[in-house]
Amino acid sequence: MERYDYQTSFRVFEWETDKNGIMTTGSLLRRVQQLGTDHCESIGLNDDVYERCGAVFLMVKSVVEWKRPVKAGEKLQMQTAAGTAQRAVYPRVAELIDEQGVAVCWADTRWVLVDAVQHRILRRPPEEMDLSSFGTAPLSLSMEPEKLQAPLVPGGVRRALYTECDRNGHLNNTKYADWLYDLVPCERWDSEWVRRCVIHYHHEIPLNTQVSLAVGGEGAFFAVQGSREDRKCFDAQLEFCTKE
């Protein structure tokens, strides 16, 4: 039997969907992030612990796989589990199940524990931070994007706006998916929906920082790369599926 640690139920709100009434990947990731926070707080990993330990979890990769479009108004159950570290990387997975008991979406996010002052990855958690309840994640999705033959081309610039940044002072990890959606040609949304989204986070994007974008598409795939000060900040890719 698959092992999940924590769960909740919710109804998909209109503001979590796009013009076609389909839940966006950014909205899903915000749900996953909040459920992960709730789970951590339930086992004593709250803000006070992080502050005393001087440590914080940062997302380094995420992948979301949709089995079908999820529409506004649907009632879903979401369950999550956190896994033990593999080479200092902690997995956090989530599954969405509809009212018929069918899985409609999976999310696999990977995190590192970072020293908040020295900004270095911690190979072991501080003694006060008890992660003993983290076990084996019940699923593992491929984190690799499709390799495209066509090169990316300049796609303009974008600035990390105030409403997109979190209290760490940089672009919230769920907002990258919103950026990715915004860069897709609008007409594509009329005939296709997103089946898979992969994001690799390389360097943080601080508030009010401008990022140079490169975009490209090939068949079912649409890719975006963001850079600033000659450093790559992120790589992201969507895989589309034709609407029936």
Side-chain angles (χ1 to χ4, degrees):
M1 183 176 179
E2 292 185 339
R3 169 194 169 276
Y4 284 96
D5 301 316
Y6 199 83
Q7 66 180 35
T8 191
S9 298
F10 69 95
R11 180 171 63 87
V12 180
F13 294 119
E14 288 282 350
W15 49 263
E16 295 180 291
T17 66
D18 62 12
K19 74 181 187 71
N20 296 307
I22 298 174
M23 189 178 194
T24 67
T25 299
S27 294
L28 183 277
L29 286 172
R30 284 184 276 280
R31 289 279 189 179
V32 170
Q33 183 170 274
Q34 185 59 52
L35 189 64
T37 298
D38 293 345
H39 171 221
C40 285
E41 290 181 347
S42 75
I43 58 176
L45 292 175
N46 54 33
D47 287 343
D48 290 339
V49 172
Y50 292 125
E51 186 172 351
R52 287 198 303 271
C53 293
V56 62
F57 278 106
L58 294 180
M59 189 186 292
V60 291
K61 292 182 181 180
S62 69
V63 59
V64 173
E65 293 186 0
W66 301 91
K67 301 300 290 183
R68 65 164 176 82
V70 170
K71 297 296 189 83
E74 286 198 55
K75 294 180 180 179
L76 301 170
Q77 180 188 78
M78 183 166 59
Q79 47 194 13
T80 188
T84 53
Q86 301 293 323
R87 295 182 179 179
V89 178
Y90 297 82
R92 159 78 60 186
V93 300
E95 181 177 26
L96 261 66
I97 301 170
D98 65 17
E99 291 186 283
Q100 287 70 48
V102 178
V104 296
C105 181
W106 294 287
D108 187 347
T109 57
R110 306 292 171 87
W111 302 76
V112 292
L113 190 60
V114 176
D115 185 303
V117 177
Q118 299 183 20
H119 303 286
R120 61 180 179 85
I121 295 175
L122 298 173
R123 297 293 172 178
R124 297 178 181 176
E127 290 187 7
E128 189 179 350
M129 189 173 288
D130 183 8
L131 305 182
S132 60
S133 63
F134 287 11
T136 301
L139 65 89
S140 178
L141 303 178
S142 171
M143 291 283 168
E144 297 307 312
E146 185 74 12
K147 293 183 179 180
L148 306 184
Q149 298 299 316
L152 301 182
V153 299
V157 297
R158 183 147 178 171
R159 189 178 300 276
L161 303 177
Y162 182 79
T163 56
E164 299 175 317
C165 295
D166 54 30
R167 57 180 170 180
N168 293 318
H170 56 72
L171 187 68
N172 183 271
N173 55 59
T174 71
K175 294 294 185 177
Y176 290 77
D178 295 339
W179 280 24
L180 190 54
Y181 272 49
D182 287 342
L183 290 164
V184 174
C186 290
E187 60 273 11
R188 189 161 194 171
W189 297 109
D190 295 331
S191 59
E192 297 177 272
W193 57 276
V194 170
R195 179 165 59 188
R196 188 168 187 267
C197 176
V198 182
I199 306 174
H200 291 190
Y201 310 87
H202 304 300
H203 292 285
E204 297 173 352
I205 303 176
L207 171 64
N208 204 35
T209 297
Q210 186 168 280
V211 177
S212 297
L213 302 171
V215 302
E218 188 176 298
F221 301 94
F222 180 79
V224 177
Q225 184 180 99
S227 303
R228 67 178 183 89
E229 300 175 352
D230 297 323
R231 292 198 306 177
K232 185 162 59 174
C233 297
F234 71 94
D235 286 295
Q237 187 182 92
L238 297 175
E239 180 182 357
F240 281 89
C241 187
T242 302
K243 294 179 180 177
E244 297 180 356

